[in-house]
Amino acid sequence: MGGCFSKPKPVEVKVEVILPEKEREKEDMSPNGKASPLAYKSNGTTRHYHHEERPITLNPYTNPKDVVEASVCHVKDLENGQMREVDLGCGKALLIKQNGEYYAMGHKCPHYGAPLVKGVLSKGRVSCPWHGACFNIGTGDIEDFPGLDGLPKFQVKIEKERVYIRASKQALQSQRRTKVMAKCIALSNYSTAITNVLIIGAGPAGLVCAETLRQEGFSDRIVMCTTEKYLPYDRSKLSKSMDSQAEQIFLRSKEFFHTYDIEVLTETQVVNVDIRNKTVIFKDGFRMEYNKILIATGSTPKTLTCKGKELDNVFTIRTPEDANRVVKLASSRNAVIVGASFLGMEVAAYLCEKAHSVSVVELENIPFKKFLGEKVGNAIMKMFENNRVKFYMQTEVSEFREQDGKLKEVVLKSGKVLRADVCVIGIGASPTTAFLKQSGITIDSRGYIPVNKMMQTNIHGVYAAGDIVVFPLAFRNNKKVNVPHWQMAHMQGRIAALNMLAQGTEINTIPYLWTAMFGKSIRYAGNGEGFDDVIIQGDIEELKFVAFYTRNDEVIAVASMNYDPIVSKVAEVMASGKTIRKRDVEMFIRHGKTGDVSWLTGKGS
């Protein structure tokens, strides 16, 4: 993607601009291009929307001194389907040409700052090369996740065969834009025991649900409740950046929740949901009524049952305090990780430079074997061994031995005894749904909540999202799956919110996940459950490869290391509804067309 062309001439700065009315109108449109409804009927009362802009994202063109206009290239420098990162003197923008039209917007993904010029341009949107977030090139809105913000959109004009971009300096520097949101119109009139939308859980699904409601103009009360003592934070960083303090990984600031009247009740636990009376009961006996409810309680780490599991320095990583304590206890000491899961391996990678020794205990013979296959799993295992991590495979823990009340040794069923000053259990997680067993909300035998494509449970007005649900995955012929990915939780929260507002929106996104270890990132898209073959291109020993997972001659997932943006490209093909066949991949590999998505759909020449 993207073309190579000459460096533009020095920029020419102008400072006059007024935001056109058409741009104003677009700001009041929902991401699907439809105008947001004018009112939402709740409890028999029609409440009219009241939009307010977030203070830090005021119209960037109101102050002429904040505006820069620059000539960035000749019209012939860009062909259809090409992107270019251009410098406006005080910041960069992404210039795009598609179907003869020019577009300009922020050049960095607001999630982790990936350069979007290295991403994928397809059918009016750009996909992040790192984690798959997608942005509408016409509006800058985020259309697929992860992340919470969209991109600033800049004006493009053509004069004398030159392409000019006009932009706010503030927007160029921030590289993110929060959508216009509604505010609650009569918060002071509400009883504390009555709410309109109640969200149980404050992870990405719950937060995106609340934000989407406000973005779509919902102006009644929204309450989020969480058992944690913190505002919503990025839990995925707990195993990747274990020194992080809670405040460093907050998803939104305290001021954000205050500005948009999203109430967050911390350290509160719901123990029952009364669907007949539309009431939830908290552990302290407090009751709260609701009109619509989202259950997004996430998962609870599994623990071991062996002797000594209750010792203070045996951990499951659930909170920032857990992660911080593990790092402190592991410093220059011996750490044992039980379970070669993504969490377990990320913790092992993080600790290897801090601890005296790191050992991983796992029931399987190869890490990630069921998820990534034997060859990829072996390559990852070698990478860890080259970084001094010791593996004890095909065994499990029989006992934690203590000395003076602290963990001293981990005894394995193989008979091996490992020295251990700290141990992290990473053997998976279970859905946090036990409190719903008597509610009438359907829960399957594994504890998951079945939902339809609109994230609705079997009870009207009750929605569920995130790690706790099984849902129909469109590109796998609506197979009911559980996908506990950070990205998927975002999308499910959004779909739930849209359907609370009766927009009839179905989920149709491609699962996308990533992990980072020793500075190497693995990208993965699709759902490879039940794969029967793996086709690999590249040098797996050098950790530069792409792996296609197939079932019955159809590609159902793809993974890569050091091969960006191939995973985002495949995800876009899957999202378009096209089927990638095994023979297409074999031709793709035979011709080495790593930059041409058409080879994945049998259209290569």
Side-chain angles (χ1 to χ4, degrees):
M1 285 291 174
C4 297
F5 28 83
S6 61
K7 188 175 181 180
K9 296 178 181 178
V11 298
E12 180 182 345
V13 178
K14 297 181 182 179
V15 291
E16 53 174 20
V17 63
I18 299 174
L19 185 66
E21 282 300 316
K22 288 184 179 179
E23 300 303 317
R24 262 292 163 213
E25 292 169 6
K26 288 180 181 178
E27 285 295 291
D28 291 328
M29 302 287 277
S30 63
N32 60 15
K34 299 177 182 178
S36 295
L38 296 177
Y40 173 73
K41 198 163 187 177
S42 166
N43 296 331
T45 304
T46 300
R47 298 193 178 278
H48 293 275
Y49 296 155
H50 176 59
H51 283 284
E52 283 204 15
E53 297 233 10
R54 185 181 178 188
I56 65 169
T57 54
L58 296 174
N59 177 4
Y61 298 98
T62 54
N63 181 3
K65 293 182 179 179
D66 183 48
V67 176
V68 59
E69 182 178 290
S71 170
V72 293
C73 68
H74 192 277
V75 290
K76 293 182 180 179
D77 287 340
L78 220 60
E79 296 181 3
N80 276 320
Q82 286 190 322
M83 300 187 291
R84 180 180 185 181
E85 195 175 274
V86 295
D87 194 337
L88 276 70
C90 59
K92 295 182 179 180
L94 183 69
L95 178 64
I96 300 164
K97 185 178 182 182
Q98 191 166 68
N99 299 325
E101 297 289 331
Y102 291 88
Y103 305 87
M105 59 189 201
H107 74 291
K108 286 185 178 180
C109 178
H111 182 228
Y112 280 176
L116 292 174
V117 72
K118 295 183 178 180
V120 181
L121 174 63
S122 176
K123 295 184 177 179
R125 65 184 199 172
V126 175
S127 301
C128 171
W130 292 357
H131 307 134
C134 298
F135 304 91
N136 186 299
I137 64 174
T139 65
D141 289 341
I142 185 167
E143 293 189 342
D144 205 341
F145 300 90
L148 296 171
D149 292 317
L151 293 167
K153 188 187 66 147
F154 309 128
Q155 293 178 336
V156 181
K157 69 174 183 178
I158 310 297
E159 274 187 10
K160 298 179 181 179
E161 301 284 300
R162 300 291 301 176
V163 179
Y164 289 81
I165 294 178
R166 183 181 290 152
S168 155
K169 295 177 184 177
Q170 180 183 346
L172 283 170
Q173 291 165 2
S174 70
Q175 290 293 316
R176 64 179 63 229
R177 176 180 60 85
T178 300
K179 282 198 62 155
V180 176
M181 291 194 189
K183 291 189 68 176
C184 192
I185 60 173
L187 189 60
S188 60
N189 295 335
Y190 285 110
S191 162
T192 56
I194 300 175
T195 185
N196 242 290
V197 172
L198 175 63
I199 299 169
I200 308 177
L207 179 57
V208 171
C209 179
E211 290 199 22
T212 300
L213 288 170
R214 289 288 186 245
Q215 289 168 2
E216 294 296 308
F218 182 77
S219 58
D220 277 316
R221 192 179 182 204
I222 300 173
V223 176
M224 300 175 67
C225 59
T226 173
T227 57
E228 302 224 26
K229 63 181 180 180
Y230 298 116
L231 293 173
Y233 62 87
D234 189 343
R235 193 185 303 278
S236 69
K237 289 185 178 178
L238 295 185
S239 54
K240 298 181 179 73
S241 182
M242 299 179 70
D243 279 320
S244 298
Q245 302 300 305
E247 293 77 11
Q248 296 174 311
I249 56 176
F250 279 174
L251 294 171
R252 292 295 196 194
S253 67
K254 183 178 179 180
E255 290 72 26
F256 179 91
F257 293 98
H258 177 75
T259 299
Y260 298 113
D261 297 325
I262 299 171
E263 300 171 64
V264 183
L265 307 180
T266 56
E267 298 182 283
T268 55
Q269 182 180 355
V270 174
V271 295
N272 192 22
V273 177
D274 180 350
I275 59 173
R276 179 172 298 180
N277 297 306
K278 288 193 171 184
T279 302
V280 299
I281 298 94
F282 291 88
K283 190 174 183 179
D284 61 3
F286 181 71
R287 292 171 176 265
M288 180 177 285
E289 297 177 22
Y290 64 84
N291 183 45
K292 300 283 175 62
I293 186 171
L294 175 71
I295 303 167
T297 44
S299 53
T300 302
K302 293 179 179 178
T303 59
L304 298 175
T305 57
C306 57
K307 181 182 177 182
K309 65 180 178 63
E310 71 287 343
L311 290 172
D312 284 345
N313 37 356
V314 177
F315 292 85
T316 56
I317 303 292
R318 180 65 186 171
T319 67
E321 287 82 3
D322 291 336
N324 296 166
R325 281 199 66 203
V326 167
V327 173
K328 185 176 180 179
L329 290 168
S331 181
S332 300
R333 296 180 181 175
N334 304 296
V336 174
I337 315 299
V338 180
S341 60
F342 280 102
L343 180 143
M345 296 288 272
E346 287 169 358
V347 170
Y350 190 85
L351 294 181
C352 74
E353 290 186 359
K354 302 176 184 298
H356 172 70
S357 70
V358 177
S359 303
V360 175
V361 179
E362 167 60 35
L363 272 171
E364 294 285 342
N365 64 326
I366 297 171
F368 306 128
K369 182 178 179 180
K370 291 181 179 178
F371 191 77
L372 295 174
E374 190 169 323
K375 289 182 179 179
V376 175
N378 256 324
I380 294 172
M381 187 172 176
K382 287 180 181 178
M383 177 177 72
F384 273 75
E385 289 174 333
N386 290 338
N387 284 276
R388 300 187 305 107
V389 176
K390 179 72 174 176
F391 286 91
Y392 298 88
M393 308 301 281
Q394 296 180 287
T395 187
E396 54 188 317
V397 176
S398 63
E399 179 187 355
F400 292 109
R401 288 180 182 166
E402 65 168 298
Q403 181 177 326
D404 300 326
K406 295 182 180 180
L407 176 67
K408 195 64 179 176
E409 294 175 332
V410 176
V411 182
L412 307 182
K413 288 190 176 179
S414 63
K416 183 71 176 178
V417 178
L418 308 178
R419 293 182 60 189
D421 299 291
V422 62
C423 179
V424 174
I425 311 298
I427 57 173
S430 302
T432 309
T433 56
F435 71 102
L436 298 171
K437 285 185 177 179
Q438 306 302 319
S439 68
I441 299 167
T442 298
I443 301 174
D444 70 16
S445 59
R446 298 181 299 162
Y448 295 107
I449 302 174
V451 295
N452 63 16
K453 288 185 177 182
M454 295 187 286
M455 310 315 295
Q456 296 170 331
T457 69
N458 63 307
I459 304 299
H460 179 72
V462 178
Y463 299 79
D467 292 4
I468 61 173
V469 304
V470 288
F471 70 102
L473 186 58
F475 98 101
R476 290 292 307 268
N477 297 316
N478 295 322
K479 177 182 178 180
K480 286 289 188 82
V481 297
N482 170 252
V483 182
H485 300 348
W486 187 249
Q487 164 252 10
M488 188 59 74
H490 285 68
M491 181 57 79
Q492 290 174 346
R494 177 166 181 76
I495 296 296
L498 294 175
N499 289 304
M500 287 179 181
L501 300 175
Q503 293 195 18
T505 307
E506 296 184 347
I507 191 165
N508 186 27
T509 194
I510 304 300
Y512 200 116
L513 70 85
W514 67 94
T515 184
M517 300 166 290
F518 305 113
K520 308 285 187 182
S521 292
I522 299 174
R523 325 275 187 214
Y524 180 99
N527 179 267
E529 187 175 300
F531 69 86
D532 53 31
D533 196 11
V534 185
I535 304 172
I536 296 174
Q537 171 167 343
D539 192 332
I540 200 164
E541 298 298 325
E542 293 295 321
L543 301 176
K544 185 175 183 178
F545 65 88
V546 54
F548 296 90
Y549 299 84
T550 64
R551 180 176 173 81
N552 299 331
D553 194 44
E554 180 181 340
V555 174
I556 56 175
V558 61
S560 78
M561 289 185 76
N562 294 313
Y563 234 80
D564 293 338
I566 187 64
V567 170
S568 291
K569 289 184 177 182
V570 174
E572 279 295 303
V573 174
M574 289 176 169
S576 72
K578 296 175 182 176
T579 298
I580 304 173
R581 299 294 179 188
K582 194 172 184 178
R583 61 180 177 272
D584 299 330
V585 172
E586 290 168 347
M587 182 178 291
F588 170 84
I589 290 174
R590 193 158 52 242
H591 289 80
K593 299 287 185 178
T594 57
D596 185 358
V597 183
S598 67
W599 285 91
L600 296 176
T601 55
K603 294 182 180 179
S605 58

